[in-house]
Amino acid sequence: MSVRFANNNDGWMERVPRIQKELGEPVIVIQHLSKTYTIPGTDESVHALHDIHLAPESEFYPIRRGEFVILRGPSGGGKTTLLNILGTIDNATSGSVEILGEAISDISSDKYLSDLRLRRIGFVFQTFNLLGTMSAYENVELPMTIRGKLGHKESKERALMLLETVGLQDRIAHLPSELSGGEQQRVTIARALSNDPDILLLDEPTGDLDTLNTIEIMNLLLRINKERKTTCVMVTHNPDVECYADRLLYLEDGRFVKQAINKVQTPLVLEQYQEYLRKKDE
Ligand SMILES: Nc1ncnc2c1ncn2[C@@H]1O[C@H](COP(=O)(O)OP(=O)(O)OP(=O)(O)O)[C@@H](O)[C@H]1O
């Protein structure tokens, strides 16, 4: 699909389809973003992203504060690559990336980027990545201890409050190995929220979960997105959770090929969804 450029940036929000929810200012803007991986020891390279945009001038406009965006598309399409670049854990080969009004570039220092990640971006992956020797409570408290902004009492209170938010007030002393997959993912989400990030980046957060836990985790994310206005960018292969997004972006062969808007975010209802899955299997 072609990228349509206007003559200027003025009034781009007028072109954006209206949704029920109020969104804020742009928090992710990318222009001419490309990523090529070179395969070590060979002349071969893989073009994971090709000149993509999330920009005022493009039909794929910037991601705005409070927006819930789901990235979909076939395997190898570039979804994780894009998420890693947005999370500043990988570099673009060319193009520009602006996160929360700050330009990210090759010359951004490691200290600056790690500080940005610690303060303003939360990560949730398919595999829960919890520290196995630490309790749920200690896992959630850790990023606050690393940041060092809160005193011990405040960070303890905040960790307990976050564990309550994700419904794990009765599991605070459990080790990850003593928790179910859904519970571990809740701890990961609580940990990702510990420094009150502006953006949550989620890579297949329900990939390892059953139907009930998928719905519970998606409902939790929806609540966080709406109540805290946390911008969510989530990669998933599950088309059934598209209803949770404000916007769906489809990436194929390293390019955005399609975008769809949900005027209203709609949670799945467990019984109806189970019935739908049963009928689909018949
Ligand atoms: N570290 C790497 N080195 C070389 N090639 C890579 C690397 N990471 C990703 N790629 C390649 O870049 C392309 C995009 O990969 P990416 O993981 O971003 O796709 P994806 O859409 O997330 O796929 P999936 O849905 O299977 O997770 C693929 O062809 C992949 O093989």
Side-chain angles (χ1 to χ4, degrees):
M1 200 177 274
S2 65
V3 175
R4 190 185 45 181
F5 282 92
N7 290 332
N8 59 53
N9 295 351
D10 293 341
W12 67 273
M13 285 192 203
E14 297 301 312
R15 290 188 285 115
V16 174
R18 294 252 175 263
I19 59 171
Q20 203 180 59
K21 192 163 112 182
E22 282 280 321
L23 298 175
E25 79 283 8
V27 289
I28 296 176
V29 181
I30 60 180
Q31 284 175 308
H32 295 293
L33 178 71
S34 294
K35 174 70 183 179
T36 304
Y37 291 106
T38 43
I39 313 285
T42 73
D43 294 336
E44 284 179 45
S45 52
V46 179
H47 299 288
L49 295 172
H50 292 272
D51 194 23
I52 62 170
H53 303 261
L54 290 170
E57 305 89 341
S58 164
E59 69 188 271
F60 302 103
Y61 41 86
I63 295 177
R64 291 165 63 191
R65 185 177 294 279
E67 194 171 1
F68 197 134
V69 172
I70 285 186
L71 293 177
R72 296 251 301 123
S75 187
K79 301 180 292 297
T80 296
T81 301
L82 176 58
L83 209 66
N84 288 344
I85 292 173
L86 297 181
T88 77
I89 49 182
D90 200 355
N91 295 322
T93 307
S94 59
S96 71
V97 179
E98 206 182 287
I99 307 287
L100 297 155
E102 312 264 5
I104 307 298
S105 74
D106 285 354
I107 56 164
S108 306
S109 74
D110 286 348
K111 160 126 188 30
Y112 169 78
L113 293 180
S114 60
D115 202 48
L116 179 76
R117 286 191 293 268
L118 189 61
R119 287 185 300 117
R120 309 201 68 182
I121 303 174
F123 294 90
V124 178
F125 299 100
Q126 176 173 1
T127 47
F128 316 119
N129 289 330
L130 294 169
L131 293 170
T133 54
M134 286 190 170
S135 67
Y137 162 74
E138 288 166 332
N139 267 285
V140 176
E141 192 188 32
L142 186 63
M144 292 182 269
T145 308
I146 294 173
R147 188 172 173 200
K149 189 179 161 222
L150 301 180
H152 178 62
K153 184 166 171 280
E154 286 167 301
S155 54
K156 182 176 177 187
E157 277 168 11
R158 184 163 171 80
L160 294 175
M161 180 274 288
L162 288 167
L163 284 164
E164 195 175 332
T165 302
V166 300
L168 287 182
Q169 58 278 12
D170 300 333
R171 299 281 189 282
I172 57 174
H174 285 53
L175 293 173
S177 58
E178 297 163 347
L179 297 169
S180 72
E183 288 170 339
Q184 288 184 61
Q185 197 57 302
R186 285 162 191 273
V187 179
T188 314
I189 292 169
R191 183 182 60 181
L193 293 174
S194 60
N195 285 327
D196 202 16
D198 299 85
I199 299 174
L200 265 189
L201 300 175
L202 308 120
D203 199 351
E204 293 267 17
T206 62
D208 276 349
L209 304 179
D210 62 12
T211 306
L212 172 64
N213 279 297
T214 294
I215 291 189
E216 287 186 354
I217 291 293
M218 288 309 302
N219 288 349
L220 173 62
L221 293 174
L222 183 62
R223 184 151 59 85
I224 291 163
N225 169 248
K226 283 188 163 173
E227 289 175 5
R228 295 169 181 254
K229 308 231 177 320
T230 310
T231 308
C232 295
V233 184
M234 173 177 143
V235 168
T236 182
H237 281 284
N238 183 354
D240 300 339
V241 300
E242 288 187 347
C243 51
Y244 284 86
D246 295 306
R247 176 161 49 142
L248 302 151
L249 283 168
Y250 297 89
L251 255 179
E252 201 171 313
D253 294 332
R255 294 185 172 89
F256 289 126
V257 291
K258 199 166 61 161
Q259 152 177 276
I261 309 294
N262 287 326
K263 285 205 165 133
V264 184
Q265 292 166 287
T266 317
L268 289 168
V269 176
L270 180 64
E271 297 74 29
Q272 289 170 9
Y273 183 46
Q274 283 172 329
E275 177 70 14
Y276 160 81
L277 291 175
R278 254 195 309 276
K279 286 200 172 132
K280 209 167 79 165
D281 283 347
E282 277 170 14

